[in-house]
Amino acid sequence: MTAGEGRPGNVPQAHYDVIVVGAGFAGMYLLHRLRGQGFTVRVFEQGSGVGGTWYWNRYPGARCDVESMQYSYSFSEELQQEWDWSERYAPQPEILAYADHVADRFDLRRDIQFDTRVEAALFDEHEQRWTVTTSDGATASAQFVVLATGCLSNARMPDIAGAADYKGAIYHTAHWPHRPVDFTGLRVGVIGTGSSAIQSIPLIAEQAERLTVFQRTANFSVPARNAPLTAEERQWFRDNYPEIRRKAREEMRNGIFTEPPQKGAFDDPDEVRRQNYEGRWTSGGLTFMAAYNNLALEKAANDTAADFIRGKIAEIVKDPVVAGKLQPTNHPVGSKRICVDTDYYATFNRPNVELVDLRADPIDRIVPDGLRAGVRHYPLDAIVFATGFDAMTGSVAKIAIRGRAGRTLNDKWAEGPRTYLGLMTEGFPNLFVVTGPGSPSVLSNMILSIEQHVDWITDCLVAMRDRGAACIEATRQAEDNWVAHVNEVAAGTLYPQANSWYMGANVPGKPRVFMPYIGGVGVYRQICNDVAAKGYEGFVMSGSLTAERRTAESERAVAN
Ligand code: N01
């Protein structure tokens, strides 16, 4: 056990019912719900403010690819009626302002400790409580710990030889400075062509004297068609929110309200299908993939959509050699998260922008004044790493978590994450994960999935309090069955065919496991509800709170 780890001999300085790790959208809503039920809650947040991913990802062009009117909390009717989103896709500063507004409106900050990382969490089997150690050297105990650490929160900086000797400026999209960065007159290199790169490249290109994009894998991107929201559009959502939210929760696979596809790609003749894709390309956004119901299931169907996008790239990009490099060929469209852009492909028509295909000319090393790839030397004043995240498990793995018999979570998940419903893992009682691996999470509208998990966890803690149970744990059998189900559903789709971060493929040495649950948010919600209705089937509730603690908790609940 290292010095920073919580240990029973290290007497906790504070005691709570629940410790929440992270004050992003999940942590904030957890605090609000749990507090409302009379639980004492402490949230630890490593950043200096709320907002999680929207606090850190401040790169040029950062905005959400789920439309603002849907990428928002639904738990408060007043909140969803009063907040004015300015654009179809809200820019990062506006989403962060929304998070700040929520924190103020619901008086959340008094229970959030900022600038504090949770470094360790140790379960005491005798006390049936967790001891948590934080980066300020303090310890605190809680009956429950909830990891609201986010799925895309552990930024990945690839290990490239020579980086330490580089004399220019280095940025990572997910650790962007809190001051404006001006690339005017500079030679800039961007490494990566995922969503973050595809959003930032057109804006960096407008500023920089010269921009070199280092692409390892060409990516599919569709136009966002972002625009200001009109008062009428906002009002339409506000008037129809109950039905929109219900449909998004229950009927949409990804939790985004749209017209669900009723037919497969080959149910339409070629020309009708082309017109369908054209219409979606023109209206823009993620719903491109909702053109047909078999695009994620059948390769031949998927090829029709992929060919359409490749055709668009060839139309937009004037140099056919550059267009060829930008056309993805090694994975089905959608099997890596499809990107949503504003002028991404057209940016490669600019005279100051160059594309380097790293498959043909791999990065050799970073040198003091730039970068060497293939046989060429690229002088660069700044390098932007848009190289993504150790997704879904990365931030959990950074915490030294020990459950029953001192077993570490990293040891248990060495061959890939194992959970029951993405909510708990056997051997780690009273430890919950919000939107964890094994739940729809990153395949869905995150705020919708966050609300579902937070509501489920809150209801579960209330049910435990009512029963006087001290401990809840997933059974091994339930976990095995769920892991098998998650894998089986994924195997029936095209998703595992891509070397994606969904598969852990972007992190050297990470086990290749398809991490999210692809069965759809409606199906998943029903499963979770059924499990709770059957007395938390697949979980064991045990132990009992002392009469004293139970009385104190009930009194607090009544007082609230
Ligand atoms: O990260 P990514 P991201 N040398 O992993 C490349 C969400 N998001 O930050 O594909 C050279 O997608 C890597 O190449 P490859 C969204 O869910 C949403 O862009 O591994 N290149 C890839 O091109 C998204 O999917 C929004 O071969 C290297 C890129 O870096 C997720 O976050 C906006 C490399 C990483 O792409 C992650 O997006 C932004 C190396 N050593 C993000 N290592 C919106 O809502 C990696 N790469 C719009």
Side-chain angles (χ1 to χ4, degrees):
M1 201 173 285
T2 61
E5 293 186 23
R7 46 195 178 271
N10 194 356
V11 182
Q13 291 138 340
H15 306 274
Y16 305 98
D17 296 325
V18 189
I19 286 176
V20 174
V21 189
F25 281 99
M28 288 200 293
Y29 183 44
L30 262 166
L31 173 55
H32 176 66
R33 279 296 326 267
L34 293 171
R35 212 197 243 169
Q37 291 296 330
F39 293 103
T40 56
V41 186
R42 189 69 166 167
V43 181
F44 293 111
E45 164 57 54
Q46 61 180 340
S48 304
V50 296
T53 194
W54 300 106
Y55 174 85
W56 298 104
N57 287 268
R58 297 165 184 250
Y59 58 84
R63 57 178 77 241
C64 190
D65 56 7
V66 177
E67 298 186 22
S68 333
M69 295 305 292
Q70 300 207 52
Y71 190 81
S72 52
Y73 285 123
S74 70
F75 71 84
S76 161
E77 180 59 12
E78 296 78 21
L79 177 65
Q80 68 182 5
Q81 293 296 333
E82 79 197 7
W83 182 264
D84 272 340
W85 293 106
S86 66
E87 295 175 62
R88 180 176 177 187
Y89 301 95
Q92 173 271 335
E94 192 168 320
I95 304 175
L96 189 57
Y98 173 74
D100 277 323
H101 170 75
V102 170
D104 293 336
R105 195 187 196 290
F106 297 97
D107 187 22
L108 301 179
R109 292 180 208 276
R110 66 185 155 92
D111 288 319
I112 305 174
Q113 185 174 324
F114 293 104
D115 301 306
T116 309
R117 246 188 2 265
V118 167
E119 297 196 326
L122 174 71
F123 187 66
D124 182 325
E125 293 191 57
H126 178 68
E127 291 289 325
Q128 299 194 314
R129 288 178 72 83
W130 286 90
T131 298
V132 162
T133 307
T134 45
S135 50
D136 55 357
T139 53
S141 90
Q143 189 185 352
F144 302 98
V145 170
V146 188
L147 302 173
T149 39
C151 298
L152 296 160
S153 47
N154 186 5
R156 259 198 78 247
M157 198 66 153
D159 195 11
I160 301 178
D165 301 325
Y166 181 59
K167 301 276 186 260
I170 286 191
Y171 303 96
H172 192 292
T173 47
H175 284 295
W176 205 258
H178 289 209
R179 56 175 166 78
V181 175
D182 186 359
F183 291 114
T184 306
L186 301 185
R187 296 159 303 177
V188 182
V190 173
I191 301 179
T193 49
S195 295
S196 304
I198 281 177
Q199 285 187 324
S200 55
I201 282 167
L203 292 168
I204 297 175
E206 281 175 16
Q207 268 191 353
E209 180 186 305
R210 189 151 189 82
L211 172 64
T212 311
V213 176
F214 297 92
Q215 169 188 278
R216 188 164 71 181
T217 307
N219 231 327
F220 290 99
S221 190
V222 294
R225 311 285 182 210
N226 188 37
L229 273 172
T230 63
E232 292 72 36
E233 284 169 327
R234 275 198 295 266
Q235 198 53 46
W236 183 83
F237 270 93
R238 284 175 174 153
D239 291 345
N240 294 288
Y241 257 140
E243 189 58 3
I244 289 169
R245 301 289 200 188
R246 187 195 65 73
K247 283 195 163 161
R249 288 185 192 116
E250 295 173 11
E251 295 175 16
M252 308 294 140
R253 292 180 72 81
N254 62 4
I256 302 172
F257 167 75
T258 185
E259 209 50 59
Q262 302 298 340
K263 41 184 176 174
F266 296 112
D267 294 334
D268 274 340
D270 292 356
E271 184 48 27
V272 175
R273 188 172 58 243
R274 204 197 56 73
Q275 282 167 10
N276 187 7
Y277 289 141
E278 191 70 52
R280 283 169 190 271
W281 185 268
T282 303
S283 57
L286 285 176
T287 53
F288 183 87
M289 290 304 291
Y292 294 106
N293 60 17
N294 57 350
L295 295 185
L297 303 175
E298 292 170 33
K299 180 69 170 55
N302 189 283
D303 285 343
T304 64
D307 285 343
F308 177 86
I309 298 179
R310 284 190 283 260
K312 284 290 177 193
I313 297 170
E315 270 173 34
I316 298 167
V317 180
K318 294 194 180 114
D319 181 333
V321 176
V322 177
K325 288 180 189 170
L326 286 166
Q327 288 170 327
T329 49
N330 73 350
H331 61 280
V333 54
S335 59
K336 279 179 171 230
R337 169 77 168 216
I338 195 168
C339 302
V340 175
D341 72 276
T342 300
D343 296 335
Y344 173 64
Y345 293 120
T347 296
F348 292 91
N349 293 331
R350 295 177 66 106
N352 67 331
V353 176
E354 181 179 4
L355 179 70
V356 176
D357 175 8
L358 295 178
R359 301 265 173 204
D361 297 308
I363 294 177
D364 172 28
R365 64 182 295 117
I366 291 176
V367 290
D369 69 341
L371 189 153
R372 263 203 334 248
V375 293
R376 271 184 66 186
H377 169 234
Y378 298 87
L380 299 170
D381 303 306
I383 302 178
V384 174
F385 285 84
T387 43
F389 303 86
D390 182 352
M392 302 204 76
T393 55
S395 289
V396 174
K398 274 163 77 175
I399 307 171
I401 298 172
R402 285 180 187 271
R404 282 198 194 285
R407 186 172 189 197
T408 69
L409 188 58
N410 286 336
D411 176 36
K412 177 169 177 187
W413 285 7
E415 303 300 320
R418 299 180 58 81
T419 67
Y420 177 37
L421 301 173
L423 282 161
M424 297 196 88
T425 186
E426 173 263 340
F428 296 79
N430 292 3
L431 177 76
F432 294 91
V433 192
V434 181
T435 62
S439 75
S441 63
V442 291
L443 298 176
S444 71
N445 176 354
M446 283 303 289
I447 297 190
L448 178 143
S449 286
I450 282 168
E451 286 189 328
Q452 185 249 332
H453 264 190
V454 169
D455 288 340
W456 193 95
I457 292 168
T458 306
D459 291 348
C460 175
L461 300 201
V462 170
M464 288 179 70
R465 184 171 61 196
D466 291 347
R467 288 187 199 185
C471 212
I472 181 167
E473 184 176 354
T475 67
R476 183 60 195 257
Q477 186 62 54
E479 181 174 298
D480 286 349
N481 292 346
W482 185 250
V483 170
H485 176 60
V486 170
N487 289 335
E488 188 190 347
V489 181
T493 73
L494 301 175
Y495 277 81
Q497 293 187 16
N499 289 324
S500 65
W501 56 258
Y502 298 133
M503 296 287 296
N506 63 328
V507 180
K510 191 166 174 173
R512 297 281 178 110
V513 177
F514 189 77
M515 293 183 283
Y517 175 58
I518 204 173
V521 297
V523 170
Y524 174 78
R525 177 181 296 264
Q526 195 55 54
I527 294 170
C528 291
N529 289 348
D530 290 348
V531 163
K534 290 179 188 158
Y536 293 91
E537 188 178 50
F539 294 96
V540 174
M541 287 191 192
S542 62
S544 69
L545 292 174
T546 61
E548 221 172 277
R549 254 173 73 196
R550 199 157 57 232
T551 309
E553 288 193 4
S554 306
E555 280 170 0
R556 272 206 315 268
V558 171
N560 271 270

